[in-house]
mmCIF file of all heavy atoms in Angstrom:
data_model
loop_
_atom_site.group_PDB
_atom_site.id
_atom_site.type_symbol
_atom_site.label_atom_id
_atom_site.label_comp_id
_atom_site.label_asym_id
_atom_site.label_seq_id
_atom_site.Cartn_x
_atom_site.Cartn_y
_atom_site.Cartn_z
ATOM 1 N N ASN A 1 97.356 96.030 -28.453
ATOM 2 C CA ASN A 1 97.807 94.642 -28.484
ATOM 3 C C ASN A 1 96.650 93.741 -28.910
ATOM 4 O O ASN A 1 95.495 94.163 -28.945
ATOM 5 C CB ASN A 1 98.418 94.208 -27.139
ATOM 6 C CG ASN A 1 97.403 94.170 -26.016
ATOM 7 O OD1 ASN A 1 96.281 93.723 -26.196
ATOM 8 N ND2 ASN A 1 97.808 94.634 -24.843
ATOM 9 N N LYS A 2 96.958 92.495 -29.235
ATOM 10 C CA LYS A 2 95.951 91.584 -29.795
ATOM 11 C C LYS A 2 94.803 91.321 -28.831
ATOM 12 O O LYS A 2 93.660 91.160 -29.247
ATOM 13 C CB LYS A 2 96.612 90.268 -30.204
ATOM 14 C CG LYS A 2 97.482 90.413 -31.429
ATOM 15 C CD LYS A 2 97.987 89.086 -31.929
ATOM 16 C CE LYS A 2 98.808 89.302 -33.184
ATOM 17 N NZ LYS A 2 99.212 88.057 -33.826
ATOM 18 N N ILE A 3 95.089 91.285 -27.548
ATOM 19 C CA ILE A 3 94.036 91.035 -26.550
ATOM 20 C C ILE A 3 93.033 92.185 -26.553
ATOM 21 O O ILE A 3 91.822 91.966 -26.516
ATOM 22 C CB ILE A 3 94.633 90.835 -25.136
ATOM 23 C CG1 ILE A 3 95.462 89.553 -25.113
ATOM 24 C CG2 ILE A 3 93.548 90.805 -24.081
ATOM 25 C CD1 ILE A 3 96.277 89.362 -23.866
ATOM 26 N N HIS A 4 93.533 93.411 -26.622
ATOM 27 C CA HIS A 4 92.635 94.570 -26.641
ATOM 28 C C HIS A 4 91.837 94.643 -27.942
ATOM 29 O O HIS A 4 90.658 95.001 -27.926
ATOM 30 C CB HIS A 4 93.420 95.858 -26.414
ATOM 31 C CG HIS A 4 94.012 95.941 -25.041
ATOM 32 N ND1 HIS A 4 95.101 96.722 -24.747
ATOM 33 C CD2 HIS A 4 93.684 95.324 -23.883
ATOM 34 C CE1 HIS A 4 95.415 96.598 -23.469
ATOM 35 N NE2 HIS A 4 94.567 95.742 -22.931
ATOM 36 N N VAL A 5 92.474 94.284 -29.063
ATOM 37 C CA VAL A 5 91.747 94.241 -30.340
ATOM 38 C C VAL A 5 90.622 93.226 -30.233
ATOM 39 O O VAL A 5 89.478 93.494 -30.642
ATOM 40 C CB VAL A 5 92.695 93.888 -31.513
ATOM 41 C CG1 VAL A 5 91.905 93.603 -32.785
ATOM 42 C CG2 VAL A 5 93.696 95.012 -31.754
ATOM 43 N N GLU A 6 90.919 92.059 -29.665
ATOM 44 C CA GLU A 6 89.906 91.011 -29.515
ATOM 45 C C GLU A 6 88.769 91.475 -28.608
ATOM 46 O O GLU A 6 87.592 91.240 -28.892
ATOM 47 C CB GLU A 6 90.553 89.739 -28.943
ATOM 48 C CG GLU A 6 89.621 88.561 -28.847
ATOM 49 C CD GLU A 6 89.050 88.134 -30.195
ATOM 50 O OE1 GLU A 6 89.733 88.288 -31.222
ATOM 51 O OE2 GLU A 6 87.899 87.650 -30.211
ATOM 52 N N THR A 7 89.105 92.155 -27.523
ATOM 53 C CA THR A 7 88.082 92.677 -26.598
ATOM 54 C C THR A 7 87.149 93.644 -27.309
ATOM 55 O O THR A 7 85.926 93.555 -27.181
ATOM 56 C CB THR A 7 88.763 93.388 -25.399
ATOM 57 O OG1 THR A 7 89.577 92.447 -24.711
ATOM 58 C CG2 THR A 7 87.747 93.978 -24.449
ATOM 59 N N ILE A 8 87.729 94.563 -28.075
ATOM 60 C CA ILE A 8 86.928 95.545 -28.806
ATOM 61 C C ILE A 8 86.044 94.847 -29.841
ATOM 62 O O ILE A 8 84.858 95.152 -29.963
ATOM 63 C CB ILE A 8 87.835 96.605 -29.463
ATOM 64 C CG1 ILE A 8 88.507 97.450 -28.377
ATOM 65 C CG2 ILE A 8 87.050 97.488 -30.423
ATOM 66 C CD1 ILE A 8 89.660 98.297 -28.874
ATOM 67 N N CYS A 9 86.609 93.896 -30.572
ATOM 68 C CA CYS A 9 85.844 93.189 -31.603
ATOM 69 C C CYS A 9 84.683 92.405 -30.996
ATOM 70 O O CYS A 9 83.577 92.409 -31.542
ATOM 71 C CB CYS A 9 86.763 92.259 -32.398
ATOM 72 S SG CYS A 9 87.882 93.161 -33.491
ATOM 73 N N GLN A 10 84.921 91.750 -29.874
ATOM 74 C CA GLN A 10 83.832 91.015 -29.210
ATOM 75 C C GLN A 10 82.743 91.983 -28.751
ATOM 76 O O GLN A 10 81.549 91.705 -28.907
ATOM 77 C CB GLN A 10 84.365 90.238 -28.004
ATOM 78 C CG GLN A 10 85.133 88.992 -28.378
ATOM 79 C CD GLN A 10 85.681 88.269 -27.158
ATOM 80 O OE1 GLN A 10 85.725 88.817 -26.050
ATOM 81 N NE2 GLN A 10 86.115 87.040 -27.358
ATOM 82 N N TYR A 11 83.170 93.111 -28.197
ATOM 83 C CA TYR A 11 82.201 94.108 -27.745
ATOM 84 C C TYR A 11 81.352 94.599 -28.919
ATOM 85 O O TYR A 11 80.124 94.655 -28.834
ATOM 86 C CB TYR A 11 82.883 95.301 -27.062
ATOM 87 C CG TYR A 11 81.899 96.403 -26.831
ATOM 88 C CD1 TYR A 11 81.039 96.362 -25.733
ATOM 89 C CD2 TYR A 11 81.743 97.433 -27.755
ATOM 90 C CE1 TYR A 11 80.072 97.331 -25.559
ATOM 91 C CE2 TYR A 11 80.780 98.407 -27.580
ATOM 92 C CZ TYR A 11 79.952 98.359 -26.482
ATOM 93 O OH TYR A 11 78.975 99.316 -26.316
ATOM 94 N N VAL A 12 82.006 94.977 -30.023
ATOM 95 C CA VAL A 12 81.286 95.535 -31.174
ATOM 96 C C VAL A 12 80.290 94.516 -31.725
ATOM 97 O O VAL A 12 79.154 94.873 -32.080
ATOM 98 C CB VAL A 12 82.270 96.011 -32.266
ATOM 99 C CG1 VAL A 12 81.535 96.370 -33.545
ATOM 100 C CG2 VAL A 12 83.074 97.208 -31.766
ATOM 101 N N THR A 13 80.683 93.242 -31.769
ATOM 102 C CA THR A 13 79.773 92.193 -32.245
ATOM 103 C C THR A 13 78.518 92.150 -31.373
ATOM 104 O O THR A 13 77.395 92.104 -31.883
ATOM 105 C CB THR A 13 80.482 90.826 -32.246
ATOM 106 O OG1 THR A 13 81.572 90.886 -33.183
ATOM 107 C CG2 THR A 13 79.533 89.707 -32.643
ATOM 108 N N GLU A 14 78.708 92.187 -30.061
ATOM 109 C CA GLU A 14 77.551 92.143 -29.151
ATOM 110 C C GLU A 14 76.734 93.423 -29.212
ATOM 111 O O GLU A 14 75.510 93.398 -29.118
ATOM 112 C CB GLU A 14 78.014 91.858 -27.719
ATOM 113 C CG GLU A 14 78.498 90.433 -27.530
ATOM 114 C CD GLU A 14 78.608 90.058 -26.061
ATOM 115 O OE1 GLU A 14 77.669 90.353 -25.286
ATOM 116 O OE2 GLU A 14 79.640 89.487 -25.698
ATOM 117 N N HIS A 15 77.408 94.558 -29.367
ATOM 118 C CA HIS A 15 76.719 95.845 -29.471
ATOM 119 C C HIS A 15 75.810 95.841 -30.708
ATOM 120 O O HIS A 15 74.637 96.216 -30.629
ATOM 121 C CB HIS A 15 77.749 96.972 -29.557
ATOM 122 C CG HIS A 15 77.159 98.343 -29.520
ATOM 123 N ND1 HIS A 15 77.614 99.313 -28.682
ATOM 124 C CD2 HIS A 15 76.151 98.934 -30.226
ATOM 125 C CE1 HIS A 15 76.916 100.437 -28.870
ATOM 126 N NE2 HIS A 15 76.030 100.220 -29.816
ATOM 127 N N LEU A 16 76.357 95.426 -31.844
ATOM 128 C CA LEU A 16 75.570 95.398 -33.080
ATOM 129 C C LEU A 16 74.403 94.418 -32.978
ATOM 130 O O LEU A 16 73.309 94.684 -33.477
ATOM 131 C CB LEU A 16 76.458 95.041 -34.271
ATOM 132 C CG LEU A 16 77.420 96.142 -34.720
ATOM 133 C CD1 LEU A 16 78.368 95.629 -35.793
ATOM 134 C CD2 LEU A 16 76.678 97.374 -35.205
ATOM 135 N N LYS A 17 74.628 93.291 -32.338
ATOM 136 C CA LYS A 17 73.539 92.317 -32.161
ATOM 137 C C LYS A 17 72.423 92.921 -31.311
ATOM 138 O O LYS A 17 71.241 92.796 -31.630
ATOM 139 C CB LYS A 17 74.063 91.032 -31.528
ATOM 140 C CG LYS A 17 72.981 89.967 -31.376
ATOM 141 C CD LYS A 17 73.538 88.665 -30.884
ATOM 142 C CE LYS A 17 72.526 87.549 -30.785
ATOM 143 N NZ LYS A 17 71.147 87.848 -30.787
ATOM 144 N N ALA A 18 72.800 93.603 -30.230
ATOM 145 C CA ALA A 18 71.800 94.241 -29.363
ATOM 146 C C ALA A 18 71.020 95.302 -30.142
ATOM 147 O O ALA A 18 69.809 95.443 -29.968
ATOM 148 C CB ALA A 18 72.471 94.853 -28.136
ATOM 149 N N PHE A 19 71.707 96.040 -31.019
ATOM 150 C CA PHE A 19 71.034 97.058 -31.826
ATOM 151 C C PHE A 19 70.079 96.410 -32.823
ATOM 152 O O PHE A 19 68.930 96.820 -32.950
ATOM 153 C CB PHE A 19 72.075 97.917 -32.550
ATOM 154 C CG PHE A 19 71.464 98.937 -33.466
ATOM 155 C CD1 PHE A 19 70.786 100.033 -32.961
ATOM 156 C CD2 PHE A 19 71.563 98.797 -34.847
ATOM 157 C CE1 PHE A 19 70.208 100.979 -33.811
ATOM 158 C CE2 PHE A 19 70.998 99.732 -35.703
ATOM 159 C CZ PHE A 19 70.319 100.823 -35.179
ATOM 160 N N LYS A 20 70.546 95.394 -33.534
ATOM 161 C CA LYS A 20 69.701 94.726 -34.532
ATOM 162 C C LYS A 20 68.511 94.022 -33.889
ATOM 163 O O LYS A 20 67.453 93.905 -34.499
ATOM 164 C CB LYS A 20 70.536 93.726 -35.337
ATOM 165 C CG LYS A 20 71.500 94.397 -36.297
ATOM 166 C CD LYS A 20 72.328 93.378 -37.046
ATOM 167 C CE LYS A 20 73.267 94.054 -38.027
ATOM 168 N NZ LYS A 20 74.102 93.092 -38.763
ATOM 169 N N ASP A 21 68.694 93.548 -32.652
ATOM 170 C CA ASP A 21 67.605 92.873 -31.924
ATOM 171 C C ASP A 21 66.692 93.863 -31.202
ATOM 172 O O ASP A 21 65.828 93.462 -30.427
ATOM 173 C CB ASP A 21 68.168 91.870 -30.918
ATOM 174 C CG ASP A 21 68.859 90.688 -31.585
ATOM 175 O OD1 ASP A 21 68.676 90.500 -32.806
ATOM 176 O OD2 ASP A 21 69.581 89.950 -30.880
ATOM 177 N N ALA A 22 66.918 95.167 -31.406
ATOM 178 C CA ALA A 22 66.117 96.249 -30.811
ATOM 179 C C ALA A 22 66.180 96.257 -29.289
ATOM 180 O O ALA A 22 65.260 96.708 -28.625
ATOM 181 C CB ALA A 22 64.673 96.174 -31.290
ATOM 182 N N LYS A 23 67.308 95.811 -28.722
ATOM 183 C CA LYS A 23 67.500 95.892 -27.273
ATOM 184 C C LYS A 23 68.058 97.260 -26.880
ATOM 185 O O LYS A 23 67.936 97.676 -25.740
ATOM 186 C CB LYS A 23 68.431 94.779 -26.796
ATOM 187 C CG LYS A 23 67.814 93.399 -26.940
ATOM 188 C CD LYS A 23 68.756 92.320 -26.480
ATOM 189 C CE LYS A 23 68.099 90.958 -26.656
ATOM 190 N NZ LYS A 23 69.039 89.873 -26.410
ATOM 191 N N ILE A 24 68.707 97.910 -27.856
ATOM 192 C CA ILE A 24 69.221 99.266 -27.658
ATOM 193 C C ILE A 24 68.888 100.092 -28.896
ATOM 194 O O ILE A 24 68.634 99.544 -29.967
ATOM 195 C CB ILE A 24 70.754 99.291 -27.398
ATOM 196 C CG1 ILE A 24 71.510 98.669 -28.583
ATOM 197 C CG2 ILE A 24 71.107 98.615 -26.090
ATOM 198 C CD1 ILE A 24 73.012 98.828 -28.513
#
């Protein structure tokens, strides 16, 4: 559903930011 798609997309955005910022 759209809520779950939004949750996943928000997570992936933060995950990628953490990776690019060398936090993970």
Side-chain angles (χ1 to χ4, degrees):
N1 66 42
K2 289 187 178 187
I3 294 170
H4 294 157
V5 170
E6 184 60 31
T7 300
I8 293 166
C9 288
Q10 285 178 345
Y11 170 81
V12 170
T13 297
E14 289 195 46
H15 186 130
L16 287 173
K17 182 174 183 343
F19 177 70
K20 288 179 179 179
D21 293 346
K23 293 179 181 172
I24 59 172

